[in-house]
Amino acid sequence: MSTKRQPSFGLPADAGAVVVGSFEMSGVRRFDWHEHPVHQLVWCARGVLAVSVGAAVWVLPPPRALWIPAGVVHAVEASRPAMMRSVYVRRRGCRIRWTAPTVVAASPLVCELIGFLADPSAAARSRGHAERLLLDLLRPLDESPIELTLPRDARARRVADVLLSDPADPRTLAAFARTAGACARTLARLFLAETGSTFGQWRTHLRLRAALTHMAAGVPVAVVAERVGYRSASAFIASFRRLLGVAPGAYFATAAHGGHVAGDSAG
């Protein structure tokens, strides 16, 4: 996967309140850690994006976007080719006061407005109306990120690396003891101390993070459940709902954005 650092973006002096950047994430699929002096709304017009802030990860299919306040260090990654639209918003005069990354619904109208604002030929007066309407339409969703802090201790990290490469590995901590070079009790203590989660919680977060990528590629829920280590689709759905607040089908509902990529030719 190709990686580069996205430049810190500031709005030109002659720009309006909003500028939209389009990024085809095919050859370059990760923008490494960076920040912007302006607010940013990250939306994936096609495919799926993962946005990281510290240990927190938000996985964004097209029905969702993420508001990132100015100055927040983040990274953006696509495991498969994707089209990212970044909406950069001038801080002065912005009525949105969210101080932490916030997931918002990318409704059909929000998507159309982003596509309109991505067209540099749009008339100034129309752009002003569209900018104000877009910001007024952003509605936060009650959704937490998936936290996945990696342990620093080499013994616990060996276990984490095995599961990162194969989330479906069913072994318990006791079964990992020989590979890790530590007993199950020590491994359990290390995971809790260094990740803030029990081993079971950490593995659940890992599995659901992997599941989101598979689901974004259109893999059926039953197949995804098996790939990431669940014994049944119903067990997977229950775990998904507990962590993310909605069922998998609702999370990826195409109705939220009408199945249409607004202004896709502007990229």
Side-chain angles (χ1 to χ4, degrees):
M1 177 181 293
S2 179
T3 303
K4 75 175 183 179
R5 184 178 179 85
Q6 187 181 13
S8 181
F9 191 95
L11 296 186
D14 59 348
V18 171
V19 169
V20 178
S22 299
F23 302 91
E24 189 70 52
M25 308 219 13
S26 52
V28 175
R29 296 195 195 169
R30 178 178 170 86
F31 290 117
D32 217 345
W33 300 102
H34 64 283
E35 63 183 277
H36 304 288
V38 293
H39 302 309
Q40 181 183 15
L41 180 70
V42 177
W43 174 54
C44 188
R46 184 178 65 250
V48 65
L49 296 174
V51 181
S52 300
V53 176
V57 178
W58 289 263
V59 178
L60 305 174
R64 284 164 160 71
L66 183 69
W67 178 270
I68 304 174
V72 172
V73 177
H74 60 283
V76 183
E77 183 174 339
S79 59
R80 294 177 174 83
M83 165 64 78
M84 179 176 74
R85 287 274 165 81
S86 285
V87 181
Y88 302 103
V89 181
R90 197 182 299 278
R91 298 170 69 177
R92 184 176 180 180
C94 180
R95 290 181 291 178
I96 294 177
R97 295 289 186 260
W98 302 327
T99 58
T102 302
V103 178
V104 299
S107 68
L109 182 52
V110 165
C111 299
E112 291 291 343
L113 287 167
I114 293 173
F116 174 78
L117 291 168
D119 182 359
S121 67
R125 183 175 180 182
S126 297
R127 287 190 64 88
H129 289 314
E131 290 172 358
R132 289 189 293 273
L133 180 56
L134 171 63
L135 298 179
D136 284 344
L137 287 172
L138 297 184
R139 296 289 183 269
L141 298 175
D142 185 15
E143 185 173 305
S144 299
I146 298 176
E147 299 275 358
L148 197 69
T149 302
L150 294 176
R152 299 181 302 278
D153 183 273
R155 295 163 294 179
R157 184 58 183 264
R158 289 188 196 106
V159 177
D161 286 343
V162 169
L163 292 172
L164 284 167
S165 62
D166 180 14
D169 191 314
R171 282 180 285 177
T172 63
L173 278 180
F176 274 119
R178 180 175 298 178
T179 300
C183 68
R185 181 177 296 179
T186 297
L187 290 173
R189 176 178 56 78
L190 287 170
F191 266 91
L192 184 59
E194 298 192 352
T195 73
S197 303
T198 66
F199 173 71
Q201 292 169 336
W202 188 91
R203 176 149 60 181
T204 296
H205 287 200
L206 170 68
R207 287 177 168 177
L208 292 182
R209 181 173 163 183
L212 285 167
T213 300
H214 291 310
M215 293 174 62
V219 179
V221 168
V223 177
V224 172
E226 182 178 359
R227 283 186 183 179
V228 300
Y230 284 87
R231 294 181 179 179
S232 67
S234 59
F236 167 69
I237 292 170
S239 183
F240 192 103
R241 190 189 294 273
R242 279 195 301 271
L243 185 62
L244 295 175
V246 296
Y251 192 91
F252 284 90
T254 55
H257 67 294
H260 172 63
V261 177
D264 195 38
S265 61

